[in-house]
Amino acid sequence: MAGTQTATERKPIPDHVPAELVYDAKVTEGAEFLAAPHKYMAELHQKAPPIYFDPGSEHRPPAWQLLKYEDAYFALRKPEYFTTFGSGPFPRDPENYWRILPLEVDPPEHRKYRAIVDPLVTPKAIMAMEARIRVLANELIDKIVDKGECEFAKDFGRPLPVGVFLDLMGLPRDMMDEFVRWAMGLLHAQNRDVAVQVMAEVTEYLNKVIAEKKANPDEFLVSAIANGRPGGEPMDARETFGFVFFVFIAGLDTVFATLNNIWVWLAENPDRRQEIIDSPDNINNIVEELLRVFTVTFSGRGLIQDVEIRGVKMKKGDRVTSILPACNYDPEIFPNPTEVNFQRPRKPILAFAGGVHSCMGAHLARLEIKICLQEWLKRIPDFDLKPGAKIEYWPGGVVGPKDVPLVW
């Protein structure tokens, strides 16, 4: 309820926050959110103030929350007000603190880091991966097509994007299960002890990989970072680790979650599956609309000076989170926002954030989703959720179902 705290007090509400703007939405972890997260975030436009103050929890720091597209667009593109420093949720040793690069670096410094990896993720570079992605998609389908059922998340939704990303990184696919375990521990465990243990394992592994790539450079992403020279100077060990860690963790969960969300919807909407099959020339608009409807991440910032938006006065030091899935349901920007409309006029969506910190993997994500739709629907056009299946969602900062059991 707006203006109230829950029974167990967490941190005091700052004095400059009006009581009527306090709203404990429990986004990422509340029972109502986890029951149907995208429906819940769409309905926040009717339930909550457009800018409200979340009092936080054990897992969420207190922060202003932005629901409106226009406000998030502003926050994502105004680094003179909104810094990304400290926005990463992962546990780090304060005595040996490292920044998550290039995420936690503001302009103009940000550009020199981003320039190291941009050549590997341009549209041209990503399109060169198309044939390999189609081969992998069909290899995965080969294993399940005659069985008449699968657990989509395990059999297709996870191995395809993770396999593709490990190829891009230059890391071995045979460690996929270990990488997945690490991603789950860092992104969804909701347990600091687990996260700290996993972080120690990831740190040990990545430091070994970085050393190997420095000794034996190759044409892949980790090597480009390990041997990169932002601004002409080599990075120190903490910079290199923070950069490799970011691209490592960023590639393990977001497309996976997006595919799982989409396939639940496809299983429940056979007429819309047929619409996709019957509209091959509209595939790019279809992908964009599905990305809008099933956006899976949020974007956190910290204020480095006071700012006022919609009459709400926020102070230097406040945390601010753009609820990107809700922003993509803003009815002022996307009429009838919960309708999946493949003919919707194209407008920039916020699935990949925006501004200088827009997701470097956006071109790859779009291509992967396009190929998955095309190849799966070509070979398994009719499928349903397994009878009796209950779709449950992971808590945490990437929104997606735990399991997607399918039958055909």
Side-chain angles (χ1 to χ4, degrees), residues 158 162 166 173-183:
R158 175 76 78 180
V162 175
L166 292 177
R173 281 192 195 175
D174 60 11
M175 281 193 67
M176 185 182 298
D177 289 346
E178 191 76 343
F179 295 152
V180 168
R181 182 178 69 81
W182 288 338

Side-chain angles (χ1 to χ4, degrees), residues 27 29 292 329:
V27 169
E29 64 185 26
R292 180 190 72 81
Y329 285 117

Side-chain angles (χ1 to χ4, degrees), residues 28 58-61 84-93 97-101 103-104 182-196 199 242 245-246 249-250 253 297-301 319 321 395-398:
T28 75
E58 178 187 354
H59 308 295
R60 305 187 320 275
T84 56
F85 182 76
S87 59
F90 308 107
R92 285 168 273 181
D93 181 358
Y97 193 85
W98 43 273
R99 293 180 297 176
I100 300 172
L101 300 179
L103 174 65
E104 294 184 321
W182 288 338
M184 302 311 290
L186 290 173
L187 294 167
H188 299 294
Q190 300 280 287
N191 183 310
R192 182 169 178 80
D193 291 340
V194 171
V196 169
M199 182 61 81
F245 172 82
F246 174 64
I249 201 68
D253 214 48
T297 58
F298 310 89
S299 188
R301 298 288 190 272
R319 302 301 305 173
T321 300
V398 181

Side-chain angles (χ1 to χ4, degrees), residues 251-399:
L252 291 180
D253 214 48
T254 50
V255 177
F256 164 60
T258 304
L259 289 173
N260 285 351
N261 285 313
I262 291 172
W263 256 253
V264 169
W265 180 82
L266 290 172
E268 295 174 333
N269 292 275
D271 57 324
R272 307 309 302 276
R273 292 200 305 266
Q274 192 61 46
E275 183 180 351
I276 295 171
I277 293 168
D278 292 342
S279 309
D281 294 338
N282 196 37
I283 188 64
N284 291 331
N285 285 338
I286 290 168
V287 169
E288 205 70 3
E289 177 70 347
L290 292 172
L291 281 165
R292 180 190 72 81
V293 174
F294 297 113
T295 298
V296 299
T297 58
F298 310 89
S299 188
R301 298 288 190 272
L303 276 173
I304 51 178
Q305 60 174 306
D306 295 356
V307 69
E308 183 175 329
I309 304 176
R310 294 183 190 272
V312 176
K313 296 178 180 178
M314 294 175 271
K315 297 290 187 181
K316 178 181 178 180
D318 288 352
R319 302 301 305 173
V320 181
T321 300
S322 296
I323 309 296
L324 298 179
C327 296
N328 280 333
Y329 285 117
D330 187 343
E332 293 183 10
I333 306 299
F334 303 103
N336 301 314
T338 59
E339 176 191 358
V340 181
N341 178 5
F342 296 144
Q343 308 303 322
R344 189 180 294 277
R346 287 288 288 270
K347 295 177 183 176
I349 61 173
L350 298 181
F352 302 106
V356 298
H357 288 285
S358 59
C359 175
M360 66 180 71
H363 299 305
L364 179 58
R366 287 183 168 101
L367 179 62
E368 288 176 304
I369 295 165
K370 172 182 173 179
I371 289 172
C372 288
L373 287 168
Q374 291 172 326
E375 300 303 324
W376 180 283
L377 293 177
K378 186 187 305 178
R379 300 184 63 185
I380 309 176
D382 297 313
F383 56 95
D384 298 286
L385 290 175
K386 191 171 185 176
K390 184 177 186 297
I391 303 300
E392 298 181 347
Y393 292 83
W394 291 107
V398 181
V399 183

Side-chain angles (χ1 to χ4, degrees), residues 94-256:
E95 301 299 320
N96 186 34
Y97 193 85
W98 43 273
R99 293 180 297 176
I100 300 172
L101 300 179
L103 174 65
E104 294 184 321
V105 181
D106 296 321
E109 189 182 10
H110 171 270
R111 182 67 253 162
K112 68 181 184 181
Y113 293 105
R114 185 76 179 242
I116 293 172
V117 297
D118 274 353
L120 296 176
V121 292
T122 62
K124 182 178 179 181
I126 294 303
M127 287 307 298
M129 301 175 67
E130 180 174 3
R132 280 184 290 155
I133 299 173
R134 290 193 187 278
V135 167
L136 176 57
N138 280 286
E139 288 175 350
L140 294 170
I141 296 170
D142 287 342
K143 295 177 181 179
I144 58 174
V145 64
D146 293 330
K147 294 181 179 180
E149 65 177 331
C150 76
E151 203 298 283
F152 177 85
K154 178 175 68 71
D155 295 331
F156 190 89
R158 175 76 78 180
L160 186 130
V162 175
V164 170
F165 198 75
L166 292 177
D167 289 350
L168 179 62
M169 296 273 283
L171 297 177
R173 281 192 195 175
D174 60 11
M175 281 193 67
M176 185 182 298
D177 289 346
E178 191 76 343
F179 295 152
V180 168
R181 182 178 69 81
W182 288 338
M184 302 311 290
L186 290 173
L187 294 167
H188 299 294
Q190 300 280 287
N191 183 310
R192 182 169 178 80
D193 291 340
V194 171
V196 169
Q197 174 59 36
V198 169
M199 182 61 81
E201 296 176 28
V202 171
T203 299
E204 181 180 8
Y205 173 76
L206 291 183
N207 279 330
K208 287 180 181 177
V209 169
I210 289 166
E212 290 169 3
K213 298 294 185 179
K214 284 185 174 181
N216 300 289
D218 56 39
E219 70 272 26
F220 301 109
L221 198 55
V222 174
S223 182
I225 296 168
N227 297 286
R229 298 174 66 88
E233 297 294 329
M235 291 182 283
D236 64 30
R238 286 185 293 183
E239 287 178 293
T240 304
F241 177 83
F243 204 154
V244 171
F245 172 82
F246 174 64
V247 294
F248 172 78
I249 201 68
L252 291 180
D253 214 48
T254 50
V255 177
F256 164 60

